[in-house]
Amino acid sequence: MNLIFLICILIFLNIKVYAESIALNVCADDNEQFPFIIIEKGSIKGIEFDILNMVIHNLKGKLNINLKFEIMPWSRCIQMVQKGQMDAAMNASYNDERSLFLDYPPNSGPLEPKPCSSDYKLACSGYIVITLKTNKFEYDGKPLELPRPVRVSRGYSVVPELEKIFHNDDLEISKSDLINVKKLIRDKEGSLVAYIAFKSELNRNKEILKKVKIHNKSYVMKSYYIPFSKKSIFTNEQKILFWNEIKKITTNKKIMDKINSKY
């Protein structure tokens, strides 16, 4: 009888935990591009934001989440997640440095069989190489051959790797891809490793686009996730529930086609 009573208490406590609403503070890069995150007339939408909202909706009854979403510079977002001031970062790729303070979905990073093969990814994306059209250089996958200085935005996952390859004046780290491409044009030398979504911004800026070349071979392609801060109040069980719901959505072609068709 005591055992049955104990089981009933545990079931009641479990239901009570899941019935309560828990705040999920998520930050995203304010330099994120269409169609992933779109800010329009003060409201936020976009493919990844729609996926996040669908995850929260589908989890109701199991994990009731009150979403608090903020757009900010990427370096600040990562710093806040590291300190536990944010629970999770939207659209973050894996690197060893981040894994010290971020919990990623199963089989991420070195455990991922090949780039972009994770079922838990929010998107498959990466970094592109940009040079001046007047430069005859063609990127073939060898970073050491990139025209100097190499420019990259602060907070990007490729920064630690580039810092190991290039030293002193060979690497310039700035606030954004737009600032870097303007420096490239101004100085008439060097190259730029930019987030792939920056293509959309360049396509809208014809004056810049006619002066630069986007190379066919990407610098790298990788999976992007919503990893959680190790200091977040979310338990490992809750994180797995959350990531599994992402998996159910992003691996369902019918659902993703419907989301993508909106943009």
Side-chain angles (χ1 to χ4, degrees), residues 13-250:
L13 290 175
N14 191 52
I15 292 172
K16 186 175 184 295
V17 167
Y18 283 121
E20 292 176 350
S21 179
I22 183 170
L24 172 62
N25 298 287
V26 181
C27 58
D29 187 3
D30 62 1
N31 199 38
E32 188 64 87
Q33 303 294 318
F34 177 91
F36 304 112
I37 298 175
I38 307 162
I39 303 174
E40 193 175 83
K41 296 180 180 179
S43 64
I44 303 172
K45 58 182 181 178
I47 291 173
E48 292 175 354
F49 191 68
D50 287 357
I51 292 170
L52 175 58
N53 277 315
M54 188 175 290
V55 167
I56 292 170
H57 177 269
N58 292 350
L59 284 175
K60 283 182 179 178
K62 296 179 182 178
L63 182 61
N64 295 320
I65 293 173
N66 178 23
L67 176 64
K68 296 181 180 179
F69 191 83
E70 291 188 46
I71 302 289
M72 61 183 69
W74 186 238
S75 56
R76 181 183 164 207
C77 176
I78 290 297
Q79 287 171 4
M80 291 186 73
V81 174
Q82 183 175 7
K83 294 175 182 177
Q85 296 170 339
M86 284 284 167
D87 293 295
M90 165 82 85
N91 210 25
S93 61
Y94 179 97
N95 68 24
D96 292 337
E97 182 181 351
R98 289 179 186 170
S99 69
L100 298 176
F101 57 87
L102 287 178
D103 283 332
Y104 284 87
N107 300 322
S108 301
L111 298 178
E112 189 178 18
K114 60 181 181 180
C116 295
S117 63
S118 172
D119 286 337
Y120 298 96
K121 67 181 180 293
L122 194 63
C124 173
S125 193
Y127 294 90
I128 54 175
V129 173
I130 300 172
T131 57
L132 295 171
K133 276 190 176 175
T134 53
N135 191 330
K136 295 181 179 179
F137 170 78
E138 192 64 43
Y139 183 63
D140 62 358
K142 300 173 183 175
L144 276 172
E145 295 181 2
L146 288 170
R148 320 292 171 86
V150 178
R151 298 175 178 86
V152 67
S153 294
R154 188 177 297 111
Y156 283 171
S157 62
V158 291
V159 171
E161 176 187 334
L162 291 171
E163 286 177 326
K164 291 177 183 177
I165 299 172
F166 303 101
H167 306 282
N168 302 323
D169 297 332
D170 288 339
L171 183 66
E172 290 185 10
I173 303 174
S174 298
K175 184 180 179 181
S176 70
D177 292 332
L178 184 59
I179 289 174
N180 283 329
V181 79
K182 287 180 178 178
K183 285 183 177 180
L184 174 67
I185 294 169
R186 180 197 67 194
D187 298 342
K188 297 182 174 62
E189 63 178 1
S191 57
L192 167 61
V193 176
Y195 184 45
I196 195 169
F198 186 56
K199 280 184 180 181
S200 299
E201 187 167 346
L202 286 179
N203 288 332
R204 295 193 298 270
N205 195 323
K206 303 302 181 184
E207 281 301 308
I208 291 179
L209 187 60
K210 69 182 182 183
K211 297 176 183 177
V212 300
K213 174 170 65 176
I214 301 172
H215 291 252
N216 291 325
K217 186 171 184 61
S218 299
Y219 182 81
V220 69
M221 293 297 290
K222 56 179 71 175
S223 294
Y224 283 74
Y225 309 94
I226 302 183
F228 282 80
S229 169
K230 290 184 182 292
K231 295 182 179 181
S232 169
I233 63 171
F234 277 71
T235 66
N236 288 334
E237 181 186 14
Q238 289 169 336
K239 292 171 186 177
I240 293 296
L241 271 174
F242 183 89
W243 289 325
N244 279 337
E245 198 57 46
I246 289 179
K247 177 181 175 180
K248 290 177 187 176
I249 294 168
T250 58

